[in-house]
Amino acid sequence: MRIGMSLNYAGGFAETVEELADYEKAGLEIVFVPEAYSFDAVSQLGFIAAKTERLQIASGIFQLYSRTPALTAMTAAGLDYVSGGRFTLGIGASGPQVIEGWHGVPYDAPIGRTREIIEICRMVWRRERLEYSGKHYTLPLPAGQGTGLGKPLKLINHPVRERIPIFVAGMGPKNVAMIAELAEGWEPIFFFPERAAAVWDEPLAIGRARRDPALPPLDVVAQAGLAIGEDVGGYLNLARPMLALYIGGMGPHRDKGSNFYYELAVRYGFGEQAAKIQDAYLGGRKDEAAALVPAELLARTSLVGPEGYVAERLAVLEEAGVTTLNVTPIAASPIAASHADRVALIEKVRDLAT
């Protein structure tokens, strides 16, 4: 497994980026830059590209609805250019709270839009004239929906690569099947290796059966909090508020499709606990919701424990199909309290994963 990391502004953005060079030397291979309703990821990715030499950089993730398909393709080509071919385009649907609340556009047809955006991006990178007739995007804009003066254009620049890797974040069966068919990589969330097969093996098989043989094997990216030591188990509890937020707070009710993270917890077998978490969270009892997060879910989606235990968990992740491990050193733990400690932690997990 290659080792990746989501950007964490432990000491401020500029300081963190300066530290990436040390992480790179320690064995870090890819860094993911998030984009929610914070600073945009593009400017930060460009800065990182200028400050590193070999480190792969990835958007983690660009939201489907925040850019037109052509702008997504242009942005990816630009970041691949300034990084010398080191960029991975990570995209995902996000959720209606952010898309409709922050961007003010309807949250509709995420799977269909993802498919069409992937197809359009690859046309742009191949420098084809952009003529596309899809269910969700039609380029140029049809007569009657504008001035009628739109022209089928092609990218002026010659991209570094005509096939920039595309990673897609997704959890639902239909979405995962589409990702396995079309994308270079898949980013699930809260990856529970012992239960992943029951949840995702069938849609992955459906997608892989339709996959273009020219595509590489699907890169499976799992995220995990990381702390290695004899007395670090208590740091698992630091993840409780985040899991409670996602399971309990990312939707107003339990109707189908209202909270994808809640549904994933149910598919993992935590339906009763998920219902209690959501009731508590939506009732304003966030501490209670966090306390209700199952200890098993916390433990199995993290890498926290003695070195031997972490080595065993890495083997389980690899057996479950994980090819990129996206770690987050738990800075509150004594062995990751300083930059030097976090560098040593990256070196340790790299050694254990090889």
Side-chain angles (χ1 to χ4, degrees), residues 290-312:
L292 288 166
V293 173
E296 185 181 12
L297 181 60
L298 285 167
R300 299 305 187 189
T301 56
S302 302
L303 289 170
V304 176
E307 183 175 320
Y309 171 80
V310 171
E312 291 173 3

Side-chain angles (χ1 to χ4, degrees), residues 70 73-74 77 124-125 127-129 153-159:
M74 292 165 62
V124 170
W125 299 333
R127 300 190 71 246
E128 298 175 7
R129 293 202 177 274
L153 304 173
K154 66 179 180 179
L155 188 68
I156 294 172
N157 312 82
H158 289 261

Side-chain angles (χ1 to χ4, degrees), residues 198-217:
V199 174
W200 286 310
D201 264 12
E202 183 176 352
L204 285 170
I206 291 170
R208 283 170 170 145
R210 298 194 291 253
R211 190 173 179 83
D212 184 344
L215 282 170

